[in-house]
Structure formats: structure tokens, C-alpha cells
Amino acid sequence: NEGHLWDDPEHPVSWLEGRLGMKPPCHSTGTMWHRNTWERAGGGNEKLRVWQDIELHMRAHFKGIEFRASNLQSVDFLHRVSSDSISRVGFHSAEKLASRVAVVYYALQHRHHIQTQNEQKALAGMTLSLIRNLSQHSNWHEAESLLERAQSSLQPDEIKLGLKILRFRRWKLDRIPQLRRQIQRQ
């Protein structure tokens, strides 16, 4: 078996930025929790169908819990990737989409804790990705509501991109390869 270290020491990312940007410093199973810290963070949210780890780490961060990287230099767990894993099957189901919406709304509700420019960009990326996801499934009301709610967290160009995503998807303009690539680049 070949292993690798999850974190990239050449290009370190802050804990919160990594979680929001879907490039976490370590895999969810890589976090070691002291029982008191786990309880202080509020434990896992079993109501969520996906992104439980993102929500948990955000909640912990917002409560002032700091994470430290270990200087462990060897791989200490095996991560199996399976096409039928719980996180991959039905990723766009209504339940899982609702979980992702809840996690982004939670982040937006606590945006005053998201302080660095990179963390804010990561939250914007997560929000715009979810808007695209919602619109791909014709959930226009939720996508528009999310964009409206996120406007105070987004830069003007990010709001413009969110509106473009909605317009392109509603009119199915994203089926035109050149326009789809344009949105992906932005």
C-alpha cells in the first residue's frame, strides 16, 4: 500500500479556509478530539446527510477551538474510496442537498467569525457552488434565496457571477460549451 500525507506543507491552508474550500488540511478521520473539546464543540450533527465534518469543524472554530497540525510523518489510516459509499451515492438527493444548504446557511449566519480574505473567498466559492448545484436541479427558489441571503458576504463580482449562474442555468445557456467554460473559469 502506498500512502500520502493529507496536508501540503509547501502550501499550507488555514483550518477554516481548508474546510470551507473543500481542501481540508486533513481528512475527517485525521482529527483527534479530546472528549471535553468534542463536547464543547457540540459533537456531531446526526441530522445532516453530508458535510457533517465541515459543519462540526466550523462550529468548533467559531467556538474558539484551535486545531494544530501534528508533526507525524507517516500515514496512520487507510482511506478507502468506493463508488457506492454513503457520501457518493445520491449526492444530489433532496436530503443531501438540504444538508449542504443548512451548512452554508450556518456559515453565513456566523460569517463574523470568517475573518481572512482567503476564508471569505472559500465561503463564496462554497456558496456559488451550491447555487449552481441547486439550479442544476431546478430548485430556483432555494438558489435565489441563498444568493439573496449571501449578498452581504459576497463581493460585487461574486454576486454578479451568482446571478449569471442562475440566468445561464434557467435559460439552459450552460449547455453551450463556450458559455459553460466561461462560467467555470470565473
Side-chain angles (χ1 to χ4, degrees):
N1 264 340
E2 213 175 282
H4 69 277
L5 297 174
W6 194 271
D7 199 5
D8 179 0
E10 300 296 318
H11 305 93
V13 173
S14 81
W15 197 268
L16 185 60
E17 176 190 346
R19 289 288 168 191
L20 295 173
M22 304 302 197
K23 296 174 185 157
C26 74
H27 193 277
S28 300
T29 60
T31 309
M32 300 295 289
W33 294 84
H34 187 281
R35 182 183 200 125
N36 293 339
T37 306
W38 176 263
E39 290 171 356
R40 186 170 140 221
N45 183 345
E46 295 181 22
K47 293 178 186 174
L48 296 175
R49 302 290 294 152
V50 291
W51 288 6
Q52 303 93 334
D53 55 332
I54 295 169
E55 190 268 347
L56 170 63
H57 283 91
M58 274 195 299
R59 206 167 0 102
H61 182 83
F62 297 161
K63 290 183 179 188
I65 296 170
E66 294 182 25
F67 297 91
R68 289 188 315 251
S70 168
N71 59 2
L72 181 67
Q73 295 299 311
S74 63
V75 178
D76 64 346
F77 72 93
L78 174 64
H79 178 202
R80 291 190 180 120
V81 178
S82 169
S83 61
D84 62 345
S85 73
I86 293 171
S87 59
R88 294 191 196 305
V89 173
F91 187 74
H92 297 292
S93 70
E95 290 175 316
K96 291 185 178 183
L97 203 50
S99 287
R100 291 195 300 278
V101 168
V103 171
V104 171
Y105 278 163
Y106 178 79
L108 292 171
Q109 183 181 354
H110 294 87
R111 66 182 161 263
H112 57 280
H113 292 289
I114 300 170
Q115 298 175 351
T116 72
Q117 188 174 14
N118 287 343
E119 291 170 353
Q120 291 166 357
K121 280 186 176 277
L123 176 58
M126 179 186 246
T127 303
L128 291 170
S129 175
L130 183 55
I131 288 169
R132 187 187 70 224
N133 229 211
L134 288 163
S135 64
Q136 285 173 328
H137 296 284
S138 300
N139 198 334
W140 305 113
H141 177 72
E142 189 71 53
E144 290 167 345
S145 176
L146 176 58
L147 182 58
E148 186 178 317
R149 197 170 193 184
Q151 285 193 9
S152 61
S153 298
L154 300 174
Q155 298 296 317
D157 60 324
E158 294 164 341
I159 295 169
K160 198 170 163 182
L161 179 57
L163 291 169
K164 188 184 254 187
I165 289 168
L166 287 172
R167 186 177 70 243
F168 275 37
R169 186 63 200 133
R170 181 165 284 164
W171 296 104
K172 300 186 184 335
L173 296 173
D174 60 345
R175 290 183 180 178
I176 301 169
Q178 183 180 5
L179 294 176
R180 184 175 52 244
R181 282 192 299 274
Q182 177 188 2
I183 281 191
Q184 288 170 338
R185 272 194 313 271
Q186 291 176 341

